[in-house]
Amino acid sequence: MNVCDIIFKTKRHEKLKEEEIKWLIDGYVEGSIPDYQISAWLMAVCFSSLTEEETVILTKVMRDSGDVLDLGGINGVTVDKHSTGGIGDKTSLIIAPVCAACGIYVPKMSGRGLGFTGGTIDKLESIPGFQVNIDFDRYIDIINKNGAAIIAQSGQLVPADKKLYALRDVTATVDSIPLICSSIMSKKLATGADCILLDVKTGSGAFMKNTDDARKLAELMVKTGESAGKKCRAMITDMNEPLGNAVGNSLEVIEACEILSGKEKGRLYELCMELAANMLELGGKGNIEECRKLAVNAIDSGCAMERFQKMIEAQEGDPEVTENYSLFDKPLYKYEIKADKSGYISDINSEAVGMAALMTGAGRQNKGGKIDSSAGIILNSHRGDYIHNGDVIMTLYSSSVSDFSEAAEKASDSVEISGNMPEVQPAVMEII
Ligand code: URA
């Protein structure tokens, strides 16, 4: 086989054979095919795309490039959830204990953030003592006892994606639906759950800026998961403003506690109840109405919070933090952003809020960089709220940055105030 032939075929929209895709990816992972040839093929995919069948083959070849976890030691149906990413997305912290309290098993391997704020793993590490590096046997044991565990990815999971993603990042080849699908789904298939719920975000703060692209990605990911023998569903959800009130690490864990204890309702709560209900339905706990009731009851009865505390304890964290927020590292500095006129909040640019949060120290500027777990932003108002001149619209926190001028300018610029009430999308836009 010859790499140039494969690049030519993709350029001319000719379908690749399974053995060609396998030869190309395996050769790249082993090092016999160089970056420059794979870069050319990735660019050809960006322009000419791949068929559904080619995407499925690519995903399976990538999955099989490393370890594929066997979750057969777990005593029941396993359901995982993946979000395509958004600012303030702490839904995993909430729905894992909710679903565990309702009797399904949630094995979650999550990543660290390299972007605006930390990933789920960084958020959990803001809990004093919390351990994310747990060996596989203990992971299975914790899931069997408590119904859920959230740990850092370990071992050799999908080395093909590690190499390909790093290359895509520096060759402007991230924005291709088949490449995004194969990258996400190869990792989900390798982590082994029976059922997968995909939360595909759309809007200004998401990878997929419009609903049509979000729908195409969602449909392709569901088909790919199903053809690999998994039960799959996707939800298209709104990311036209940050999710919930908090953007940061301990700030987001505190918000998750407020939801789990039933104190905070609103848009984030509604989204979490829908995600949890869909995971429970996938896991065979009843029809969607019955599953919604189960999820709501898990919060109202206190069972979900109890599960969260057990999860924290099993991973060596201090469960007291869920009731006593002063146990988190306290931010040393604070800055309030006030409205300079009255009107409706017509836009909050999520990416700009994320960038401002990064400037407070809540995210990593480079790989391996240090995160300030106390840093971030509280949104005191949301899209559609009417506010008066001088009202506080956002509060910035940090222990690592005392001069907020840059972050405050970015955060301030992210908000638009106008005389007209904006159209606010429902949190869940479509289910596929
Ligand atoms: N997330 C991933 O894991 N891969 C992509 O290609 C895009 C988002």
Side-chain angles (χ1 to χ4, degrees):
M1 269 180 257
N2 175 309
V3 186
C4 283
D5 284 347
I6 292 178
I7 299 170
F8 265 129
K9 277 177 99 169
T10 297
K11 255 173 72 177
R12 294 178 187 136
H13 302 270
E14 288 170 30
K15 210 159 138 190
L16 298 178
K17 296 194 190 95
E18 180 167 352
E19 54 270 30
E20 288 172 314
I21 297 176
K22 185 164 168 41
W23 178 82
L24 187 77
I25 300 302
D26 287 351
Y28 181 54
V29 175
E30 279 160 29
S32 58
I33 299 177
D35 279 353
Y36 55 82
Q37 284 189 304
I38 295 294
S39 305
W41 180 72
L42 291 169
M43 193 56 86
V45 174
C46 285
F47 283 106
S48 304
S49 197
L50 293 177
T51 64
E52 204 177 289
E53 205 184 326
E54 287 172 305
T55 308
V56 170
I57 295 167
L58 174 63
T59 306
K60 289 182 181 168
V61 167
M62 288 172 66
R63 172 197 64 190
D64 296 338
S65 66
D67 299 338
V68 178
L69 301 183
D70 176 1
L71 300 184
I74 296 176
N75 302 328
V77 179
T78 50
V79 187
D80 194 1
K81 184 226 60 155
H82 178 83
S83 155
T84 57
I87 310 299
D89 188 350
K90 71 284 287 171
T91 54
S92 293
L93 303 178
I94 300 161
I95 59 183
V98 167
C99 289
C102 299
I104 59 169
Y105 293 92
V106 186
K108 269 210 82 50
M109 285 200 169
S110 292
R112 291 185 186 278
L114 207 202
F116 300 126
T117 58
T120 300
I121 288 299
D122 300 301
K123 291 170 196 172
L124 284 168
E125 277 187 332
S126 70
I127 298 171
F130 197 95
Q131 296 303 312
V132 295
N133 299 312
I134 303 273
D135 72 41
F136 186 69
D137 290 345
R138 196 164 149 228
Y139 174 56
I140 300 293
D141 198 42
I142 294 173
I143 296 166
N144 276 331
K145 280 204 188 102
N146 295 329
I150 305 180
I151 68 167
Q153 261 177 32
S154 59
Q156 273 285 92
L157 282 178
V158 199
D161 184 61
K162 257 192 203 120
K163 249 186 124 168
L164 284 168
Y165 196 85
L167 189 61
R168 286 167 60 209
D169 213 18
V170 293
T171 54
T173 52
V174 171
D175 61 341
S176 145
I177 287 176
L179 295 179
I180 295 174
C181 170
S182 55
S183 166
I184 292 174
M185 291 310 290
S186 58
K187 289 176 285 204
K188 287 288 112 185
L189 297 179
T191 45
D194 304 314
C195 314
I196 304 165
L197 179 68
L198 299 153
D199 178 5
V200 180
K201 304 267 179 221
T202 182
S204 65
F207 253 111
M208 297 290 120
K209 303 286 179 215
N210 65 67
T211 317
D212 283 349
D213 283 345
R215 192 179 300 117
K216 277 185 205 148
L217 177 63
E219 284 170 356
L220 190 60
M221 289 200 290
V222 168
K223 281 182 185 146
T224 303
E226 285 173 347
S227 63
K230 305 291 182 186
K231 221 167 150 184
C232 264
R233 181 175 299 172
M235 293 169 64
I236 299 183
T237 66
D238 180 50
M239 191 26 81
N240 276 305
E241 68 173 312
L243 199 47
N245 301 328
V247 179
N249 294 285
S250 62
L251 293 177
E252 291 194 38
V253 178
I254 291 169
E255 187 173 21
C257 294
E258 292 286 286
I259 300 256
L260 285 167
S261 60
K263 289 183 206 135
E264 182 182 319
K265 300 288 178 189
R267 221 169 143 78
L268 172 63
Y269 167 82
E270 298 298 333
L271 173 63
C272 289
M273 291 301 95
E274 281 307 301
L275 289 167
N278 278 276
M279 287 173 74
L280 291 168
E281 196 189 14
L282 278 173
K285 284 287 164 187
N287 64 35
I288 193 72
E289 263 317 309
E290 291 163 342
C291 290
R292 272 192 195 113
K293 284 191 187 131
L294 284 175
V296 169
N297 188 49
I299 301 264
D300 294 348
S301 64
C303 290
M305 178 52 108
E306 216 174 280
R307 279 303 161 133
F308 190 48
Q309 290 164 340
K310 284 192 173 140
M311 277 170 66
I312 294 175
E313 207 170 357
Q315 293 185 233
E316 299 171 41
D318 181 357
E320 281 273 312
V321 292
T322 59
E323 283 160 4
N324 179 2
Y325 303 149
S326 71
L327 295 171
F328 287 102
D329 281 348
K330 270 189 242 2
L332 298 175
Y333 314 109
K334 170 178 160 180
Y335 184 92
E336 289 179 339
I337 294 178
K338 296 186 176 158
D340 56 5
K341 60 178 171 184
S342 300
Y344 290 100
I345 303 228
S346 53
D347 192 29
I348 303 180
N349 184 302
S350 308
E351 276 183 15
V353 174
M355 187 60 78
L358 177 67
M359 290 167 175
T360 65
R364 287 190 181 82
Q365 307 267 7
N366 46 48
K367 207 172 164 208
K370 201 166 152 31
I371 278 186
D372 173 357
S373 72
S374 68
I377 297 177
I378 293 290
L379 288 102
N380 303 92
S381 305
H382 291 276
R383 276 186 85 223
D385 288 351
Y386 188 85
I387 45 146
H388 296 96
N389 191 358
D391 283 353
V392 176
I393 46 178
M394 278 188 211
T395 312
L396 277 51
Y397 295 92
S398 183
S399 295
S400 47
V401 176
S402 56
D403 174 3
F404 283 98
S405 48
E406 227 191 331
E409 190 183 342
K410 195 83 194 162
S412 218
D413 287 351
S414 73
V415 181
E416 238 176 61
I417 299 171
S418 86
N420 301 322
M421 169 101 170
E423 192 191 333
V424 179
Q425 297 283 356
V428 177
M429 297 162 75
E430 274 178 48
I431 297 188
I432 287 165

